[in-house]
Amino acid sequence: MDENNLLLEAQELINNKKLDDAEEILKQIIFFNSKNIQALKLLSILYYEQNNIDFALNLLERIVIINPENDEIYNLIGVILGKSNKHYEAEKYFKKALKLKPDSKEYIKNYALSLTFQNKVEEAVNTYKKLLNEYPDDPVIWNDFGYLLQNICFYKEAKECFERAISIDYNFALAHWNLSLVLLRDKDFQNGFVEYEWGFNCGHRTIRKFSKPRWNGEELHNKVLLVTHEQGFGDFIFFSRYLKYLKEMGIYFILEVPKELFFLYKTAEGITDLVIMEDNAAEPKIHYDYYLPIASLPFALNMFDSTNLPEPIKFEDYNKQEDGIYRVGICWKGSQLHRSDLYRSIQIEKFDILFDTPGIVFYALSKNITQDESIYLFKNRFNTEIQFANDFLATYYLLTDLDLVITVDTAVAHLAGSMGKAVWLLLQYNSDWRWFNDTRITKWYPNTKIYKQNVGENWDNVLDRVKNDFQRMFGAI
């Protein structure tokens, strides 16, 4: 068996996305030679691309047992751990790689990123300054340093870093994307939404294939526009406020929605035609002439006025039951796959300070709860029927009966805000752009009150402020 030829064949199959065939060849090589490092490495990368993270890491660990001086593998393990949001573990492997190759720019950059995601600010800043002193014309370093500065709310300095990266490499899409978030936060919609379109080129906005052209705001005469789903459920609800302008312009549109939102949007004001998004995100099998991703509506509509923001989309009215019982919903976490989940989610135990209030029924609004969370909620007599909601219409009906929604930055905040519910929004200090730098109210949702961390502040201090307002609303705790 010629291992080299088989490796070349496997690599070509991987390049052509024929992963199953490549996997069989690589397994064959490893069966006859369990210490073939190149085969183990290729198979680990293949598993990683298939999202089999544990298998990929196990194979890479086998390599470092065979060759403990392999700096490339330590770095690769760190990269995979980092992309899995395991930044503490990633840092350790980057350190191992740097011990073997201390002058590697790539390893130092990866190490600095791991520090950034762990909020090890001082060490990360010093690392970036050293890198920039040695490599002042590297746009990636400028971008990554800007990302760190953005995370610690140095927005002006972050903007300068992103602009510097773009001046070095205009086609650096990630720097444009990061710049867009700083501009939008600063309410510069004119430039921010233009830069926001670069998200399609760096993986932050999903590129899908459509057979018809994209609409960019030109006049449409007797044409059908397909407005397509993208990003998360909260983003979809948020950007839906711009749909009314299509109707005002006389544009006939069909709205593509994920199945979880379909029945909710059947009740939405001004929405007449819906199509459910295919599970594989394939093009809908309907007639249309143009398409547009929903988050590109402000750009295509040239809606750049940040002083007169459109009202949220409205759903059908539903009368809250009046029985003298106060109902409060708490959403303490979102999806763990969200890149900022480390910052935005809160342990449910931290809400203890609210639970002794008499006359209040608490509702859990977070899904995918752990066993420990389930036990905790049971002990505190939480209503947990949200766990049985299989779409957002069920969530909507549950929210209608609540007097107050206390939530971190998730889709629940956008849905409850669109319903006009009283929402207390708990924001991390480096919050999403759409909350701007506001600290008490938001123009996007008039009935939403913001409780935001100061830089370096922990959630306990924020929840103390929540407790004080809760006490004034519902009585002594």
Side-chain angles (χ1 to χ4, degrees):
M1 181 178 67
D2 190 330
E3 292 183 6
N4 290 332
N5 285 337
L6 287 174
L7 282 169
L8 290 172
E9 183 179 351
Q11 182 66 70
E12 186 174 349
L13 289 167
I14 291 173
N15 294 340
N16 293 323
K17 304 299 181 183
K18 297 180 179 179
L19 301 184
D20 290 340
D21 294 337
E23 180 181 357
E24 289 303 314
I25 291 175
L26 292 170
K27 283 181 175 179
Q28 180 184 353
I29 296 171
I30 294 168
F31 179 80
F32 288 103
N33 181 4
S34 61
K35 295 185 178 182
N36 189 308
I37 290 176
Q38 186 62 18
L40 290 167
K41 180 181 176 181
L42 280 177
L43 187 57
S44 70
I45 294 172
L46 184 151
Y47 282 145
Y48 173 71
E49 290 184 356
Q50 294 176 326
N51 209 31
N52 293 326
I53 306 299
D54 290 338
F55 284 172
L57 291 173
N58 285 337
L59 288 171
L60 293 172
E61 291 288 0
R62 282 173 62 179
I63 294 176
V64 297
I65 291 173
I66 297 168
N67 181 8
E69 303 297 308
N70 195 321
D71 56 276
E72 289 185 14
I73 299 303
Y74 287 125
N75 179 67
L76 184 55
I77 293 174
V79 169
I80 292 176
L81 288 169
K83 289 183 178 179
S84 304
N85 286 333
K86 297 179 179 179
H87 302 294
Y88 174 74
E89 294 89 342
E91 179 192 349
K92 292 190 292 187
Y93 280 93
F94 292 136
K95 282 182 175 179
K96 290 180 179 180
L98 283 167
K99 189 175 181 180
L100 294 167
K101 196 173 181 181
D103 296 327
S104 170
K105 180 171 70 167
E106 179 187 356
Y107 300 170
I108 298 172
K109 285 159 61 174
N110 290 338
Y111 170 67
L113 267 181
S114 72
L115 296 174
T116 296
F117 285 116
Q118 292 177 81
N119 221 19
K120 294 183 177 180
V121 175
E122 184 176 357
E123 192 175 352
V125 167
N126 290 335
T127 304
Y128 280 119
K129 285 183 176 178
K130 290 177 182 176
L131 276 169
L132 288 170
N133 187 55
E134 191 169 354
Y135 306 102
D137 295 323
D138 188 319
V140 175
I141 300 174
W142 281 109
N143 174 75
D144 291 353
F145 188 34
Y147 182 78
L148 168 64
L149 294 171
Q150 177 181 268
N151 276 353
I152 57 176
C153 305
F154 281 67
Y155 300 117
K156 178 178 179 292
E157 294 81 357
K159 178 174 176 283
E160 291 170 355
C161 286
F162 300 139
E163 289 174 338
R164 179 69 178 272
I166 293 167
S167 71
I168 297 169
D169 179 5
Y170 180 78
N171 293 315
F172 189 7
L174 184 56
H176 282 281
W177 169 259
N178 286 330
L179 177 61
S180 78
L181 304 183
V182 176
L183 293 170
L184 291 171
R185 173 184 294 280
D186 201 34
K187 302 181 183 179
D188 182 357
F189 284 14
Q190 180 74 50
N191 295 302
F193 278 122
V194 172
E195 297 288 343
Y196 199 71
E197 292 299 298
W198 283 84
F200 291 112
N201 301 100
C202 61
H204 284 280
R205 298 181 66 182
T206 303
I207 296 178
R208 296 169 58 193
K209 292 183 178 180
F210 294 92
S211 59
K212 303 295 176 64
R214 172 181 155 136
W215 182 61
N216 288 306
E218 60 269 31
E219 287 190 18
L220 295 179
H221 296 291
N222 299 319
K223 301 293 183 181
V224 179
L225 175 65
L226 173 66
V227 181
T228 62
H229 171 72
E230 64 160 325
Q231 306 192 57
F233 297 130
D235 293 300
F236 190 89
I237 295 170
F238 173 81
F239 281 107
S240 293
R241 68 185 66 228
Y242 288 94
L243 292 169
K244 67 178 182 180
Y245 296 110
L246 297 176
K247 203 170 188 67
E248 290 176 3
M249 295 167 65
I251 295 174
Y252 174 68
F253 68 91
I254 300 172
L255 183 63
E256 179 195 49
V257 296
K259 60 179 181 294
E260 293 89 347
L261 291 174
F262 179 76
F263 290 107
L264 173 66
Y265 271 75
K266 291 282 283 186
T267 75
E269 184 178 290
I271 307 297
T272 55
D273 289 282
L274 297 170
V275 61
I276 296 177
M277 181 180 179
E278 300 283 346
D279 288 337
N280 61 356
E283 181 179 22
K285 298 178 178 64
I286 59 170
H287 167 72
Y288 70 96
D289 300 292
Y290 293 86
Y291 82 94
L292 182 73
I294 193 166
S296 290
L297 277 169
F299 172 76
L301 291 167
N302 200 29
M303 298 294 297
F304 298 143
D305 184 359
S306 62
T307 59
N308 185 25
L309 301 177
E311 294 180 353
I313 190 170
K314 290 181 173 60
F315 302 101
E316 71 175 11
D317 291 330
Y318 179 80
N319 294 325
K320 176 187 180 301
Q321 57 179 313
E322 299 293 344
D323 53 13
I325 298 174
Y326 289 110
R327 296 174 173 83
V328 176
I330 296 180
C331 180
W332 63 94
K333 68 176 184 178
S335 169
Q336 289 182 319
L337 299 177
H338 192 283
R339 66 182 306 184
S340 297
D341 191 62
L342 173 68
Y343 301 106
R344 70 169 179 174
S345 291
I346 308 173
Q347 292 175 314
I348 182 60
E349 292 83 1
K350 289 188 178 293
F351 292 87
D352 269 345
I353 56 177
L354 308 180
F355 297 155
D356 291 335
T357 311
I360 295 179
V361 177
F362 287 95
Y363 285 68
L365 298 181
S366 293
K367 300 196 71 173
N368 301 316
I369 59 176
T370 66
Q371 185 175 10
D372 287 344
E373 287 172 333
S374 180
I375 294 170
Y376 180 87
L377 295 172
F378 177 78
K379 286 181 178 178
N380 285 280
R381 300 184 297 279
F382 264 70
N383 180 304
T384 57
E385 61 184 273
I386 189 74
Q387 302 307 313
F388 303 104
N390 56 11
D391 67 14
F392 273 77
L393 183 62
T395 303
Y396 170 82
Y397 285 132
L398 178 62
L399 291 177
T400 55
D401 280 331
L402 301 184
D403 298 282
L404 174 65
V405 175
I406 303 175
T407 178
V408 297
D409 188 4
T410 69
V412 167
H414 293 284
L415 178 55
S418 295
M419 294 168 62
K421 304 297 292 185
V423 177
W424 291 2
L425 177 61
L426 311 180
L427 291 180
Q428 67 271 29
Y429 61 85
N430 56 339
S431 57
D432 186 75
W433 68 266
R434 75 201 71 205
W435 310 121
F436 306 135
N437 292 317
D438 300 335
T439 56
R440 293 299 290 170
I441 60 173
T442 169
K443 291 184 179 180
W444 294 115
Y445 301 109
N447 292 328
T448 293
K449 182 188 292 186
I450 292 174
Y451 295 83
K452 187 173 182 178
Q453 289 176 330
N454 297 314
V455 177
E457 188 178 32
N458 60 36
W459 283 117
D460 292 330
N461 293 340
V462 176
L463 290 172
D464 279 341
R465 299 198 290 274
V466 171
K467 170 190 169 182
N468 292 335
D469 286 351
F470 200 84
Q471 184 175 359
R472 282 193 286 270
M473 178 176 284
F474 296 109
I477 296 179

